[in-house]
Amino acid sequence: MSDSGEGSGSDGGKLATYREKRHFDRTREPRGHGTPTGDEPVFVVQIHDASTTHFDFRLEVDGVLKSWSVPKGPSADIHDKRLAMPTEDHPMEYREFEGVIAGGEYGAGTVIVWDEGTYAPLASSTEDKGRTFAEALEHGHATFRLNGAKLHGGYALTRFRGGEDSTERESWLLVKKKDTRADGKDAPDPHRARSVRSGRTLRQVAAEEAEEAEEAEEGPVTGSTAVRSGGVRPARPTPEAPEPHDE
C-alpha cells in the first residue's frame, strides 16, 4: 500500500482510505494536500471508464471531495432517480484529474472531467434545520444548487439504505429538483461525451496516452507533459470527423 502519512493535516484521516488504495509511484492520480478552492464550494462530475463505465459525482465538503459513483449519470429530468453509491473521499486536486489510471491499479481505466463548477447548499436541508451541509449529508438528505457548464439548478442527495448503525452498504439517490433548469435532459452517452476541460472523449484521452507511452519508450518526448502529470491539455487534431459536443 502507499504511504498515507503525507498531507496529515485536517484532511489526513479523511483521505486515508483514498491513499491506502493507491500506489502513487504507479498512478498519476494526485496524493492530495487539501487545497482550498475559494469562497464557493465546487463540484465536479467525471466519467470513469473502469471495469464498468460510470459517472463520479463529487462535492467539496470540509476540504475534501465527497464522492458518489452514479452508474447512469446525473439527469435533469425530475422523474429520474439515479442510484448513487458513496465512495471514499477524494482530495481537492482530483477535480482536475484527467487521464489514464494504469492497469493493475485501483480503478484502472480512463477518466475525463465531464462537468465542473460551483454549488450552493439550499436552506431546506441546512439553515431551516439548523445544520451545516456536512451535517445534512450525515443525516442522509442534502439539497443544493449546481452552477456548472452543463448541470444547473437544484438537486437532492438522499440516503435510502445503510448509514449510521446499519450493517447494509450505503445507497443514495441523486434527483433533480423541480425548477426552471429541469429541462428533462438525460446524461450523455459516456463514450461520446466530451471533457469540459479539454474537449476530448474517453477514447481520445486513452489513445493520446498510449501514443505518449510509445514515444517515451522510443526516446525523449517533446511538447507538453501536462497529461503525464495528471493534468489536462488541449485535444490534438484528428483526421476523423468530430463527434457532436454534448451539452
Side-chain angles (χ1 to χ4, degrees):
M1 295 296 181
S2 61
D3 174 17
S4 61
E6 186 173 332
S8 57
S10 61
D11 71 333
K14 297 176 184 177
L15 295 179
T17 300
Y18 169 86
R19 290 172 178 150
E20 287 169 0
K21 289 183 174 183
R22 292 162 175 82
H23 301 88
F24 294 102
D25 56 342
R26 303 177 197 170
T27 181
R28 298 172 184 174
E29 297 165 284
R31 184 184 297 271
H33 301 282
T35 307
T37 59
D39 294 335
E40 294 183 284
V42 301
F43 82 93
V44 65
V45 181
Q46 288 159 309
I47 299 178
H48 188 179
D49 190 18
S51 55
T52 58
T53 304
H54 61 276
F55 292 71
D56 286 312
F57 184 78
R58 311 189 197 279
L59 297 171
E60 176 185 0
V61 182
D62 292 346
V64 296
L65 293 172
K66 290 288 184 184
S67 300
W68 292 261
S69 173
V70 183
K72 293 185 177 181
S75 171
D77 187 331
I78 62 173
H79 301 102
D80 291 337
K81 296 178 174 59
R82 290 297 158 84
L83 178 66
M85 302 299 290
T87 64
E88 72 276 12
D89 293 346
H90 282 53
M92 292 305 304
E93 293 89 340
Y94 210 93
R95 70 191 186 277
E96 300 176 353
F97 178 73
E98 188 165 286
V100 177
I101 302 171
E105 287 301 295
Y106 176 75
T110 309
V111 177
I112 62 171
V113 178
W114 177 67
D115 195 19
E116 61 182 354
T118 60
Y119 79 91
L122 296 179
S124 58
S125 64
T126 54
E127 295 174 10
D128 292 352
K129 297 181 181 298
R131 296 170 180 167
T132 65
F133 190 72
E135 290 170 341
L137 285 172
E138 288 177 6
H139 281 80
H141 179 69
T143 56
F144 47 92
R145 184 176 61 254
L146 298 180
N147 181 26
K150 301 172 184 178
L151 296 177
H152 306 275
Y155 281 81
L157 271 166
T158 304
R159 184 172 58 221
F160 68 91
R161 182 184 299 125
E164 299 193 3
D165 298 328
S166 174
T167 57
E168 293 185 290
R169 182 180 178 187
E170 274 194 42
S171 300
W172 295 62
L173 291 176
L174 175 64
V175 181
K176 179 75 185 75
K177 293 180 69 66
K178 187 175 182 179
D179 58 22
T180 58
R181 306 312 294 264
D183 57 17
K185 289 184 179 179
D186 199 353
D189 177 343
H191 293 285
R192 293 179 63 82
R194 292 184 179 273
S195 164
V196 72
R197 297 178 68 87
S198 69
R200 298 179 297 171
T201 63
L202 288 165
R203 181 164 54 87
Q204 288 173 326
V205 170
E208 288 182 17
E209 291 215 7
E211 180 182 338
E212 287 187 350
E214 187 176 328
E215 290 174 349
E217 291 179 0
E218 294 174 354
V221 179
T222 59
S224 170
T225 60
V227 175
R228 287 193 293 281
S229 63
V232 177
R233 72 176 184 189
R236 297 178 182 176
T238 60
E240 56 193 317
E243 297 173 272
H245 189 90
D246 65 274
E247 295 298 330

